[in-house]
Amino acid sequence: MLGIAQRTIQVSCTHIPSDRKPRKSLPASIKMLGDLIQIKRYEKKLTLWQLAQKMGITTASARAWEDGTGQPNDQQIALLTKHLGFALGAHALADPQQ
């Protein structure tokens, strides 16, 4: 019989910066369009980069939408609904500060 040696694999985490920001948690309730985009993107198991590639935009644009610092235009909204599978009502794009 062959003996199977148990090995432990150790991975160095020194390449990860100590001041790295923790991952943003999912919003508990959908208050902004960015919250909806983030939740639907997580449901589809897409990264920001993958979503940006599908839509032909930069990852910075997609991140800005999720953070609420930017808004997609009508053409981009149509692509979002196509790729993430949701429909928007007129109230979804309302400015929450008004």
Side-chain angles (χ1 to χ4, degrees):
M1 295 202 55
L2 293 175
I4 299 174
Q6 288 185 333
R7 295 183 184 183
T8 57
I9 299 173
Q10 296 182 352
V11 178
S12 172
C13 295
T14 57
H15 65 282
I16 300 173
S18 60
D19 61 344
R20 179 176 69 172
K21 292 181 182 178
R23 183 178 186 177
K24 180 182 168 188
S25 61
L26 284 175
S29 64
I30 299 172
K31 297 178 184 170
M32 297 183 349
L33 176 60
D35 297 337
L36 180 62
I37 293 170
Q38 184 181 27
I39 289 171
K40 292 297 184 179
R41 182 174 62 81
Y42 280 15
E43 285 176 0
K44 297 281 186 176
K45 296 183 170 101
L46 293 172
T47 64
L48 275 172
W49 183 82
Q50 291 168 327
L51 178 63
Q53 289 296 308
K54 285 183 177 218
M55 295 186 60
I57 60 169
T58 63
T59 53
S61 295
R63 183 177 297 114
W65 299 343
E66 287 187 4
D67 292 343
T69 57
Q71 291 289 324
N73 62 30
D74 293 337
Q75 183 182 13
Q76 292 166 335
I77 290 172
L79 287 171
L80 279 171
T81 58
K82 175 185 170 189
H83 292 300
L84 297 180
F86 64 87
L88 292 178
H91 67 282
L93 295 177
D95 188 359
Q97 297 179 7
Q98 289 183 354

